[in-house]
Amino acid sequence: MSGRDWELVGAPNARDLGGLVGADGRRVRPGVLIRTPALGRLTDEDLPVLAKLGPSCVVDLRDHSETAVAPPDRLAGQPRVVHLPVHDAEHPVFTYVSAVLLGHDLGAYEALAEQGTPAAMAAIYRWFVSGESARANFGAAVRLAAQAENLPLVYHCSAGKDRTGWLTVLLLSALGVDEATIRADYLANNRLTESLREVLLEAMRRRMPGLDVEAVRPVLEVREEYLDAAYAEVRRVHGSFGAYLRDGLGVTDDVVVALRAQLLD
């Protein structure tokens, strides 16, 4: 099943990366790399769809502090579940996004408002590149995708847009997909989650009458400037994306060869 053949009502921005053109004109195989948000809101009708996708492995990029307060993932079959937390308690964005999605206390809002939400988001994306746990666990996730026994691979964070988005950038870059295509997949999140985003904002507006909704919106969206911040950090620290994969993430040339063998037709 390709991404155009299915949808998950409880995970509107879930999609299959199959069909994107990678190295040597070879396409990403359909049904092997599936990016999603957290799966705790899947409906009963979604479960047969997930079962048909048949994930062998589910990578969860959330920290235990996030999973402890979220509904547990609803899974089909018995996939191996691997927790590779990419989380930094020093960045209020993580706490805030989870709180927004779960309808919890929005106490982190003041810390974010001081920094400015777009600036806070850009800082998170720079941390994705340089943060120690980010490098360790993003690297581990890419290496998992190079192993046949983990395919099909489903991977997610909370909203399925930032950590999931950057892991998608890593995977597609290693597969030789061009940057314009990678950006288009990243930005597709906004279109796919538009109605959900407005529902969340309206609910927040009702609960917090003094809330500046336009200050909140950047946390619920993806933006080119966030991705640009991460790419700039890659260049600043490593000089090139290839060096970042190899030296920053431990994604060696052998891993890239294995990824392409497993994931490209």
Side-chain angles (χ1 to χ4, degrees):
M1 298 196 300
S2 77
R4 288 181 295 276
D5 295 333
W6 58 270
E7 63 177 27
L8 297 171
V9 174
N13 56 339
R15 53 206 185 269
D16 179 358
L17 300 176
L20 300 181
V21 178
D24 305 319
R26 297 160 64 199
R27 292 182 181 271
V28 179
R29 289 170 51 205
V32 292
L33 276 184
I34 297 155
R35 56 174 295 178
T36 73
L39 300 173
R41 290 186 179 75
L42 293 190
T43 66
D44 290 345
E45 291 74 24
D46 288 334
L47 294 179
V49 179
L50 186 62
K52 282 186 182 175
L53 294 170
S56 295
C57 182
V58 175
V59 169
D60 189 340
L61 299 170
R62 296 174 297 172
D63 184 67
H64 67 86
S65 64
E66 299 172 272
T67 57
V69 296
D73 276 359
R74 301 190 72 188
L75 299 173
Q78 294 183 306
R80 175 187 177 210
V81 178
V82 180
H83 290 274
L84 294 172
V86 175
H87 184 276
D88 182 5
E90 297 303 308
H91 283 288
V93 165
F94 283 122
T95 313
Y96 189 71
V97 171
S98 293
V100 168
L101 292 171
L102 298 168
H104 290 167
D105 175 57
L106 300 178
Y109 173 67
E110 289 182 12
L112 269 184
E114 282 179 25
Q115 188 176 13
T117 42
M121 293 299 291
I124 279 284
Y125 276 69
R126 288 191 291 271
W127 179 83
F128 286 167
V129 175
S130 298
E132 189 175 344
S133 73
R135 288 189 296 109
N137 287 333
F138 278 135
V142 174
R143 290 190 294 275
L144 280 175
Q147 299 166 17
E149 63 267 26
N150 295 322
L151 303 177
L153 181 74
V154 167
Y155 59 96
H156 71 77
C157 52
S158 287
K161 66 185 183 72
D162 300 310
R163 288 168 286 185
T164 299
W166 187 244
L167 178 53
T168 302
V169 171
L170 300 177
L171 289 165
L172 295 180
S173 296
L175 291 171
V177 176
D178 69 87
E179 188 179 317
T181 301
I182 290 171
R183 281 181 180 271
D185 173 77
Y186 172 77
L187 292 169
N189 177 83
N190 290 345
R191 170 177 52 80
L192 294 169
T193 60
E194 183 176 7
S195 58
L196 172 63
R197 193 163 57 248
E198 295 310 315
V199 166
L200 286 169
L201 287 169
E202 181 55 36
M204 292 170 70
R205 199 181 281 119
R206 287 199 305 271
R207 290 209 322 275
M208 297 177 67
L211 183 72
D212 178 0
V213 168
E214 292 314 306
V216 176
R217 191 179 294 277
V219 178
L220 299 178
E221 295 176 342
V222 295
R223 296 187 176 184
E224 294 239 29
E225 66 197 82
Y226 307 161
L227 203 53
D228 289 341
Y231 276 127
E233 186 73 355
V234 167
R235 289 190 297 272
R236 184 186 75 81
V237 178
H238 297 285
S240 71
F241 212 94
Y244 164 53
L245 287 172
R246 183 182 64 247
D247 304 330
L249 303 180
V251 176
T252 61
D253 290 347
D254 286 349
V255 174
V256 171
V257 169
L259 270 173
R260 293 181 179 185
Q262 295 295 339
L263 299 172
L264 295 178
D265 274 336

